[in-house]
Amino acid sequence: MAGGLKVAILGAGSVGCFIGGAWATAGLPVTFIGRRKIASDVDEHGLTLSDYSGWQAHLAPGDVDYRCGPEALDEAEVIALTVKSGDTAAAADDIAKYGTAGATVISFQNGVSNVDVLEQGLGGRFEVARGMVPYNVAYLGNGRFHKGVAGDLFVEQRAGVRALSDAIAASAAALRFSDDMLGLAWGKLLINLNNAVNALSGRPLIEELKRRDYRRVFAASITEGLELLKRAEIEPATVGPISPTMLPRIINSPDWLFNRFFLKQWKIDAKARSSMADDLAAGRKTEIDYLNGELVTLAERLQRVAPVNRALVELVRQAEAGAEPLPPRALRKAVLDR
């Protein structure tokens, strides 16, 4: 057994269920807090976890503590936050009300501003740490959660985080420490600009990435982001094997080169899709304002423009209102041929 460190996953959807489930299989007592739909699913089927490599684990229904209210936060020494970015302020209110002062709160969320929101809402009563999830998790129904892309969780060093890392050891959701979490957050945001492209395509991640017109849009959004970050004197860190500055050139390479060499190195399986695609499929509001929208906001602050990312924000909002997916050429024309 890994030990008695008590952990709560606040916002236990796809990512939260995979992370918490992996920690629970390592022996930690984990409480999941999330939506009633997933609670019912887990109550019936338990949790089944899998990844691109063929690894699989199962927790029986009676071994999963899944709740739908924040009251259980008072038992947690570590709170892993996996709510959507738009819900961060409300989550901070719940933690402040129900959590135990001094507990460690780790933000495993998309975007770059969630830690600032947490620190403001928690008023110094909790230890707040920035985390980063470099992979996608697909919710397959019947309590099944599948990690479709390689990668380990990144987190900044804090006392509570070190205790957690020791407890879970080499689990399927192991932790890696970084001294440049803000740089990693921006580096991950650049990669996450593809979430919008993937959601608008209506296709699995690997099928979207095989089409160059979709990749052209993705590459253009990164190029625009890099230019803005340079003006703001922000240096994004490398997430994965390719540096941010090299990504647009590689992503925009011809299909025969990209698909034969680069795509295989990324270890993406057929089940992987973006969280934004899942949100659209479920009729939920997406995190577009905290991904491409972050660059639009940065451009405004710098008195610049971000036409590529602004166009993607507008198209995702149309998709939220019911617009149909766009074929590769149609998306390229809608974003780049303005």
Side-chain angles (χ1 to χ4, degrees):
M1 296 293 286
L5 186 71
K6 294 182 179 179
V7 176
I9 310 292
L10 182 55
S14 297
V15 168
C17 281
F18 183 87
I19 292 173
W23 292 349
T25 62
L28 279 186
V30 177
T31 297
F32 301 81
I33 302 170
R35 298 190 302 271
R36 191 165 300 281
K37 177 182 177 181
I38 295 182
S40 298
D41 190 10
V42 171
D43 283 346
E44 181 177 355
H45 301 283
L47 276 178
T48 299
L49 313 175
S50 57
D51 72 8
Y52 63 94
S53 72
W55 173 84
Q56 187 165 317
H58 179 72
L59 293 169
D63 295 331
V64 182
D65 180 15
Y66 199 110
R67 311 189 197 184
C68 297
E71 295 80 9
L73 290 172
D74 67 347
E75 303 172 7
E77 298 162 81
V78 175
I79 299 168
L81 188 62
T82 55
V83 301
K84 297 295 183 182
S85 295
D87 296 326
T88 303
D93 290 342
D94 285 338
I95 294 169
K97 182 176 181 180
Y98 296 105
T100 299
T104 299
V105 180
I106 309 173
S107 170
F108 285 120
Q109 301 166 273
N110 286 329
V112 296
S113 57
N114 291 297
V115 167
D116 296 332
V117 175
L118 286 170
E119 288 180 339
Q120 182 177 356
L122 297 177
R125 294 175 50 231
F126 294 80
E127 181 183 64
V128 178
R130 190 184 296 273
M132 191 270 284
V133 183
Y135 47 76
N136 301 91
V137 176
Y139 174 34
L140 305 179
N142 295 331
R144 297 175 297 150
F145 297 89
H146 180 76
K147 173 186 172 182
V149 181
D152 292 326
L153 300 172
F154 281 86
V155 66
E156 62 184 325
Q157 294 205 46
R158 294 284 189 271
V161 176
R162 287 192 292 272
L164 173 63
S165 181
D166 291 342
I168 61 176
S171 81
L175 301 178
R176 294 179 60 184
F177 293 118
S178 172
D179 295 326
D180 185 23
M181 286 304 304
L182 186 58
L184 279 174
W186 278 110
K188 174 70 187 311
L189 185 143
L190 292 175
I191 294 173
N192 276 351
L193 297 177
N194 188 56
N195 282 18
V197 179
N198 179 246
L200 291 167
S201 76
R203 305 180 185 208
L205 188 60
I206 196 165
E207 293 302 320
E208 171 244 317
L209 287 171
K210 285 180 178 178
R211 304 300 295 270
R212 192 178 186 189
D213 276 339
Y214 286 139
R215 297 200 311 276
R216 283 172 170 156
V217 175
F218 180 22
S221 68
I222 294 176
T223 298
E224 186 175 86
L226 287 169
E227 292 170 354
L228 292 168
L229 292 176
K230 184 177 181 179
R231 286 187 172 274
E233 299 183 346
I234 298 170
E235 185 172 351
T238 298
V239 178
I242 302 169
S243 71
T245 55
M246 287 296 297
L247 270 174
R249 183 181 302 177
I250 289 172
I251 291 167
N252 202 23
S253 60
D255 282 339
W256 68 267
L257 178 61
F258 182 84
N259 294 337
R260 185 177 300 176
F261 296 102
F262 299 122
L263 191 56
K264 288 183 178 179
Q265 295 179 14
W266 289 352
K267 299 180 181 177
I268 303 171
D269 69 23
K271 298 185 184 73
R273 56 182 183 254
S274 71
S275 58
M276 194 173 294
D278 287 342
D279 288 338
L280 285 183
R284 296 190 295 264
K285 183 176 174 60
T286 72
E287 292 185 292
I288 190 65
D289 290 336
Y290 301 91
L291 296 175
N292 306 74
E294 289 275 14
L295 291 173
V296 174
T297 300
L298 178 61
E300 292 171 350
R301 193 159 67 241
L302 296 170
Q303 297 185 319
R304 309 292 295 180
V305 293
V308 173
N309 286 285
R310 183 178 291 279
L312 286 167
V313 170
E314 292 170 356
L315 287 169
V316 169
R317 286 178 177 153
Q318 291 172 23
E320 289 175 338
E324 294 294 320
L326 292 168
R329 185 182 179 190
L331 183 62
R332 175 180 60 77
K333 292 184 69 174
V335 176
L336 302 183
D337 297 350
R338 290 191 162 199

